Amino acid sequence: MHVTVQRPKCIASGACVLAAPEVFDQDEDGIVVLLDDHPTEEHHDEVREAVRACPAAVIEAFEPDVHAT
Ligand code: SF4
């Protein structure tokens, strides 16, 4: 899984951090910070939940990982 975020579109709701705290964080302004753009399998469900939960639709999760060989 390859995860991307569009920080300029983030509205700082924090929903992604609640869903997947080991993959997403927020900076001092509340804007999303991507901690892990290739999360391990155990976090995939959480990331999918974050994609659904994000009110600004700024998170994308690509499966399968485009970088996987
Ligand atoms: S859920 Fe979306 S809008 Fe909210 S902080 Fe995360 S990326 Fe930003």
Side-chain angles (χ1 to χ4, degrees), residues 5-6 9-17 24-26 30-32 50 53-59:
V5 296
Q6 298 181 59
K9 289 185 172 179
C10 175
I11 60 170
S13 73
C16 54
V17 180
F24 304 101
D25 198 357
Q26 290 171 281
I31 302 301
V32 65
C54 177
V58 310
I59 306 168

Side-chain angles (χ1 to χ4, degrees), residues 1-6 23-24 34 36-41 44 47-48 51 57-68:
M1 175 186 278
H2 180 207
V3 181
T4 65
V5 296
Q6 298 181 59
V23 179
F24 304 101
L34 185 58
D36 186 356
D37 65 355
H38 289 88
T40 54
E41 186 101 27
H44 288 186
V47 171
R48 292 183 192 111
V51 171
V58 310
I59 306 168
E60 284 190 283
F62 299 95
E63 302 177 80
D65 186 335
V66 291
H67 297 301

